[in-house]
Structures are given as structure tokens and as C-alpha cells.
Amino acid sequence: MAYEEVKVQTPLYLKILPVLSICAFFGSWEFIVKTGIVPSTMLAAPSEVIKLFIVKLTDPNPDGAVLSQHAWISLKEAGIGYLLSLLVGLPLGLTMGWFTTVRGLFRPVFELIRPIPPIAWIPLCIFWFGIGLWGKVFIIWIAGIVPCVINAWVGVGMTNPTLIQMARTYGASDWQIFTKICVPSALPMVFGALQIALAYCWTNLVGAELLAADQGLGFLISMGRRLALPQMVVLGMVTVGIGGAVIGVLIDAVEKRLLAGIRR
Amino acid sequence: MVVDSGRTTKIEVKDLTKRFGNLVVLDKINFHVAEGEFLAIVGPTGCGKTTFLNCLSKLIPTSGGDIFIDGDVANPRKHNISFVFQEPTCMPWRTVRQNVAYGMEVKKFPREKLNQKLESILKLVGLTDTADLYPNQVSASMMQRIAVARAFAVNPDLLLMDEPYGQLDVKLRFYLEDELIKLWKTLKSTVIFVTHNIEEAVYVAERILVLSNKPTGIKAEVQVDLPHPRSMIDPEFVTIRKQVTELIRWW
């Protein structure tokens, strides 16, 4: 075929470098704790964390649940909150970008709520929902909705005006231009929003759980502090980190498939 | 209505006027285009060519006068108006095939007719091999061919072209101009082709309107009665080119 795709190979050193950097990071961490440069009461060595990780896979003590239970609770809270924020934030942002009426209606309220840090809602949430699942879902929802709205809105605003004119000359309606031109051209920004919202949701989840929870990774971290077990704190942090990274990679993969034509 | 050459009038522009505040950009422009005619419009840079086209395509409202297609006031929802812009207008998220189909989708062509038309037009402009690639995988000239193919695909009542080949090199230009003539002859569309390149206008058009500086009006009309394909060194071609050049000496 005349139009063959070109395959580019990653050079060997680019494959080795990330592995090297991870090894160096954990190696020096282990080193400074084991040699006593940093006392073990202040920071746990990676090997201690791994040991605790293995124990926590099966032992619910001393914090009341095994690791998978904590992770599952957090994942559930973050997942529901994240999905709800996408469900509300993306349509809202996209329509705000194109329909002036929607923008006029929602922008003032949005601008008022936007600067309030999500964790400031915690007290009200406890009044409304107690310390159960839905209070945290609400905080995560508030956290995730802001980048969704802004990115979707800006994405629609960045639509190439000539494409809109082109559609108009064919007689496309406002709605057709919105769905067939503005929304697809906002997609790269929307996928950016998915990543940013995820980060916001995940960070605020831990914030919410630190203050009001009886299970979850944030709770695990605060229990570690109360029980003076730095390895438990680090285990909670590392699990949060890995969880976020895995979801990020998944979103990236989906994005690459869907945006084939735009970013190749 | 029948004009003197025996062809039916397709497009009629009556007293077309456009003002921005006190600035008169288009001043009572009157002309008509016959069905299936290829009309070129040349004018100096900044004379309001783009405003003129935007009025014709109904992208912006006129301040006075109007444009009529088959006797009715032009309406993009009712008439098939196509516009090929100066810059490539490919949607990067659609393949070449889907880009060409866009106009027909908006016009709600039935599936079967759409596919049939799509295949024939892709073949006509030589995009069959690249039909499943995305615009960022094809060259600039191909992107403009996509736009031209999309414009012809809807059987336009009026096809407006705004210096479509202005950004391409000379060789590609000749090639695409020949292709355009082929498309026009095959599909018998009515074309208004705006350019500032006199040679290009004489090469493609049946008739040339020369615009004046602001406030823009029609300064002269030149018939190009030469058979296609035309040769640029043909003495008659050279005469007409010189004639048009004389008309716009003050560029």
C-alpha cells in the first residue's frame, strides 16, 4: 500500500531510564532510613512498607479492615464522585461554551462556588450526610466538577471558527454545529479534564477521609498517624499514588484510541 | 428567466450593499450567473472580497439588496450553497471519507444515495486510496481537495470558492485547477470563484467580473470564450489576461 504507517522504535536508553530513576529513588530512600540519617520514627523504609503491605493483605488489625477493603471503599467513593462530576460537569461546560443562555444562567453560580476549596464543605457534609459514603461522594463531586466545566467550556471556545462557518454554509443548525463540530473539537480538552478531575477527586478523597471516615485509604493514613506507625502512613500514601496512576494510564489509553485523528 | 446567451439565470444579485457603520464596503452590486456557469471574480486585496462572499453565502446579513437563487431569496437551509474557504477546513477527527460526506450528512441525503455519491466523488478527485486516513496524514493539497470534493458532493445550487488554491505552489495549483474544471464539467455546478490571481481567473472561468476598490462595485466584465483545456501561452489567452490586468492596473 502506498500509505504505510511508519513505526518508530523507542531507543533502549529511553526504556532503561525510567526503571533506573525508580530504583534510585527507592534505593536512596531505603538507604537514608536504614543508615539512620532519617530516624525510623519519622519515615518508614520501603522494605518496612512492603512488609506491612503483605501483613495488611490479610490482617484487619489494628485499624479494623484489610488493605483491599480500604482501597475498595476509597475507589467506590472516588469512582462515584468522579463519574457524577463528569456526568454533570462535561455537559454543563460544553453547553456553556456554545449556548449563551446556558452560560448566562450558570456562570455566576459557578464562579461563586469555584473558589471554595472542596474540603471546606466537609462540616456541611457531615451535617447533611453523616460520615458515610455520600458525604465524601459530594466532596469529590464538587472537586471534580470544576475542571470538567472549565475545560469543556474552553474546549468548545477553541473550535476553529472556519469549521463553524463551513457548517453554517451547508445549512447546519445550531444544535448540529454543537454536536458535530464543537463537541468533537473540544474532545482533547475534555480528555484533559478527565485527567485533571481525576487528580482533584483522588486528592480530595484523601482530604475528606482524613477528617471524617471509618474506612478508606485516607482513614488508613490518619490511623497510621494516631498509632505512630509511619509505615502505615506511607502504605496508605503509596496505595493512593498507585491507584491514581493506574486510572490515569487507563484514561490515557482510552484517549489515544478515541482521538486517533487529532493526536497522532 | 433567460439571458442573452440562451442559458437560464441561476443566481441573481440585486443591489447588494454592505455597510459597517459609516463604512460602505459593498455598494449596490448587481450581476447574475447562469445555470452551470463558471464565474471568476477578481479584485484588489482589501476590496471586500471576503465580505462579498460572506454576504453571498448568507454568513453575514446584508445592509441592503439580496441574492436570489432560482428567483427565491438565498437561504442555506433551503438551497444547497457550498463554500470552499481559503484555509483547509477538514475536521481532524473525521477520516477523509467522513469529511467529504459531511455536507451530505447535514443535508440529510439518504444513506444509499450518500454512499453512492461519496464513492463517485472520491474517485473523481482521486481520494479513494486515502479515504480512510485522517487529515493530518495527508498533504495540504489533499486537504483542499477534500474541501472541494465535499462542496461538489451536495450538488450545490451555488458553489463559492474563496481563493481555494492561494496557499499552494504553482505546480499543484495548475493540477488542482484542471481537476476543478473536470469536476465542474462533470457535475455542471454553478461556480463563483474569487481570486486575486488574474492568470488563474482567465485559466478557469467563462466570465470574469473585475471589482473596484472600496466602496466595492463591479468595474468591468470580461468574457473568456476559450475552450478548455486552455494554454497560458495561447495569444488569445495572453490578450485576455492583459485586458484584465489593464483594468486593475491601480493595484
Side-chain angles (χ1 to χ4, degrees), chain A residues 1 3 5 160 162-163 165-173 176-177 180-181 184-185 260-264, chain B residues 59 76-77 81-83 85 87 89 91-93 102-103 106-108 129-130 133-134 136-137 142 150-151:
Chain A
M1 199 178 112
Y3 305 94
E5 243 181 84
N160 181 353
T162 321
L163 285 184
Q165 287 195 330
M166 184 272 294
R168 279 209 199 289
T169 55
Y170 283 112
S173 65
Q176 279 175 316
I177 295 178
K180 295 276 170 127
I181 307 275
S185 81
I262 303 175
R263 290 187 192 161
R264 194 177 277 259
Chain B
L59 278 175
R77 304 297 274 283
I81 302 176
S82 289
F83 199 133
F85 294 85
E87 66 233 71
T89 45
M91 290 165 269
W93 57 88
Y102 178 78
V106 173
K107 299 279 178 200
K108 299 206 167 60
D129 283 350
T130 45
L133 296 180
Y134 285 94
N136 62 356
Q137 295 171 300
M142 278 202 192
R150 180 172 55 206

Side-chain angles (χ1 to χ4, degrees), chain B residues 96-97 99-101 104 114-128 145-156 179 182-183 186-187 189:
Chain B
V96 171
R97 184 193 304 278
N99 260 295
V100 174
M104 294 191 279
L114 189 151
N115 285 334
Q116 213 178 1
K117 187 92 191 171
L118 188 58
E119 291 314 318
S120 70
I121 209 107
L122 285 172
K123 204 168 153 197
L124 209 52
V125 293
L127 288 172
T128 314
R145 277 151 89 184
I146 294 170
V148 172
R150 180 172 55 206
F152 272 104
V154 295
N155 295 325
E179 190 178 85
K182 189 175 87 185
L183 276 167
T186 315
L187 302 167
S189 309

Side-chain angles (χ1 to χ4, degrees), chain A residues 19-188:
Chain A
V19 181
L20 262 181
S21 94
I22 299 248
C23 289
F25 176 74
F26 285 103
S28 39
W29 178 2
E30 183 79 27
F31 177 78
I32 57 169
V33 178
K34 285 287 166 175
T35 50
I37 299 174
V38 173
S40 62
T41 47
M42 288 172 75
L43 185 65
S47 55
E48 294 297 317
V49 177
I50 293 168
K51 253 186 244 166
L52 182 70
F53 168 72
I54 293 163
V55 172
K56 282 301 296 171
L57 283 178
T58 50
D59 184 5
N61 290 319
D63 45 275
V66 295
L67 187 65
S68 59
Q69 241 171 314
H70 286 304
W72 171 239
I73 291 282
S74 290
L75 209 60
K76 202 160 67 175
E77 288 164 354
I80 297 173
Y82 179 57
L83 285 180
L84 286 179
S85 64
L86 300 187
L87 226 59
V88 177
L90 294 179
L92 184 64
L94 290 169
T95 46
M96 273 169 82
W98 182 241
F99 299 102
T100 39
T101 340
V102 182
R103 183 159 58 232
L105 265 177
F106 288 97
R107 192 175 173 177
V109 183
F110 177 72
E111 293 291 350
L112 268 180
I113 292 180
R114 183 162 80 129
I116 304 172
I119 42 171
W121 292 86
I122 288 177
L124 280 182
C125 274
I126 296 174
F127 295 156
W128 296 339
F129 306 101
I131 60 163
L133 173 79
W134 293 104
K136 274 155 273 175
V137 167
F138 179 81
I139 293 185
I140 292 156
W141 179 71
I142 288 273
I145 206 166
V146 173
C148 287
V149 170
I150 294 180
N151 271 40
W153 173 1
V154 172
V156 169
M158 276 163 52
T159 308
N160 181 353
T162 321
L163 285 184
I164 297 176
Q165 287 195 330
M166 184 272 294
R168 279 209 199 289
T169 55
Y170 283 112
S173 65
D174 258 10
W175 179 251
Q176 279 175 316
I177 295 178
F178 174 66
T179 51
K180 295 276 170 127
I181 307 275
C182 296
V183 171
S185 81
L187 277 187

Side-chain angles (χ1 to χ4, degrees), chain A residues 53 56 63 65-78 136 202-225 231-244 247:
Chain A
F53 168 72
K56 282 301 296 171
D63 45 275
V66 295
L67 187 65
S68 59
Q69 241 171 314
H70 286 304
W72 171 239
I73 291 282
S74 290
L75 209 60
K76 202 160 67 175
E77 288 164 354
K136 274 155 273 175
W202 201 238
T203 15
N204 281 287
L205 160 94
V206 175
E209 282 182 351
L210 282 175
L211 289 171
D214 50 9
Q215 263 183 349
L217 293 173
F219 172 74
L220 183 71
I221 295 172
S222 66
M223 278 308 280
R225 175 180 62 85
Q231 61 269 43
M232 192 184 271
V233 175
V234 176
L235 178 64
M237 289 169 66
V238 169
T239 319
V240 168
I242 293 174
I247 306 170

